[in-house]
């Protein structure tokens, strides 16, 4: 509302804002100039550290002569020692071990690809022969079943022809 108690019109509000723009810009410029001046003053009035040469000091050193020797030191400790890595070996086939690497023992390190042990091949060769025989038997049973299937299909077709009155030549009776 204006001084007379009347409501402002949108045009009057816009004109009042327009009058304040130069004043606002002037205030912003004054604040920036004052801030820049204070920054320059602080930069120029800052204390400067002087450069000095460090004084040379001799370091105190004691020289001792020691002799090397091998000695076992007892380390009193209690607890359980646990290996960092644990290895568990198992074979993919069953059989009796017939050869073992002499370096293979608890805590030993073996290079990659080193033969650890050899299993008697007879057990798994017999197992392979048994599995092959079972496979051949299953294949023979499959062939017999397929043959019986063909016979049954032929009999069924013959039965269907007789049911519908067709003779074996394909014509009707």
């Amino acid at each position: 509302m204006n001084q007379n108690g009347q409501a402002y019109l949108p045009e009057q509000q816009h004109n009042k804002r327009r009058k304040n723009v130069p004043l606002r810009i002037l205030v912003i410029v004054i604040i920036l100039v004052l801030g820049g001046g204070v920054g320059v003053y602080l930069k120029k009035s800052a204390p400067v550290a002087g450069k000095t040469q460090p004084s040379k000091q001799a370091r105190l050193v004691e020289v001792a002569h020691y002799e090397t020797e091998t000695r076992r030191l007892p380390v009193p400790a209690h607890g359980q020692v646990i290996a960092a890595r644990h290895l568990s070996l198992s074979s993919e086939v069953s059989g009796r071990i017939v050869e073992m690497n002499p370096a293979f023992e608890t805590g030993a390190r073996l290079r990659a690809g080193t033969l650890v042990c050899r299993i008697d091949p007879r057990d798994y060769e017999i197992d392979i022969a048994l599995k092959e025989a079972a496979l051949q038997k299953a294949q023979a049973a499959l062939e017999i079943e397929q043959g019986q299937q063909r016979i049954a299909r032929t009999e069924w077709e013959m039965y269907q022809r007789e049911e519908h009155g067709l003779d074996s030549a394909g014509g009707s009776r």
Side-chain angles (χ1 to χ4, degrees):
M1 294 206 158
N2 63 10
Q3 295 172 350
N4 299 335
Q6 296 175 345
Y8 282 120
L9 296 174
E11 291 174 12
Q12 291 173 342
Q13 289 176 346
H14 185 66
N15 288 338
K16 191 171 186 177
R17 284 187 190 152
R18 222 186 258 165
K19 290 178 185 176
N20 289 336
V21 170
L23 179 64
R24 288 181 182 173
I25 292 174
L26 182 65
V27 169
I28 291 171
V29 169
I30 291 171
I31 290 173
L32 288 174
V33 168
L34 285 175
V38 169
V40 169
Y41 170 75
L42 290 175
K43 178 81 173 166
K44 288 190 176 189
S45 66
V48 178
K51 294 183 180 179
T52 59
Q53 287 287 12
S55 59
K56 292 188 176 184
Q57 293 180 350
R59 300 195 182 230
L60 297 177
V61 178
E62 286 184 26
V63 178
H65 295 282
Y66 293 102
E67 293 181 19
T68 60
E69 64 181 52
T70 303
R71 181 185 291 183
R72 287 186 161 263
L73 296 175
V75 179
H78 299 284
Q80 184 177 10
V81 176
I82 299 174
R85 289 186 257 167
H86 181 74
L87 175 66
S88 177
L89 293 177
S90 63
S91 65
E92 294 180 3
V93 295
S94 62
R96 191 170 54 89
I97 295 176
V98 293
E99 180 184 345
M100 184 173 289
N101 190 331
F104 181 60
E105 58 184 38
T106 303
R109 287 184 162 201
L110 299 175
R111 291 181 184 242
T114 302
L115 177 70
V116 176
C117 60
R118 187 179 313 274
I119 297 176
D120 186 7
R122 290 180 291 185
D123 290 340
Y124 59 86
E125 286 172 353
I126 291 171
D127 195 33
I128 289 172
L130 289 173
K131 300 293 184 199
E132 287 175 347
L135 175 64
Q136 290 174 356
K137 183 177 177 182
Q139 286 174 338
L142 175 65
E143 289 176 11
I144 290 171
E145 187 61 36
Q146 288 173 340
Q148 289 177 348
Q149 203 176 48
R150 283 190 295 273
I151 292 171
R153 189 176 296 120
T154 305
E155 288 176 353
W156 176 254
E157 289 170 356
M158 288 172 55
Y159 175 74
Q160 289 293 329
R161 278 192 224 127
E162 287 179 13
E163 275 291 309
H164 294 90
L166 300 173
D167 61 3
S168 60
S172 60
R173 287 192 230 177

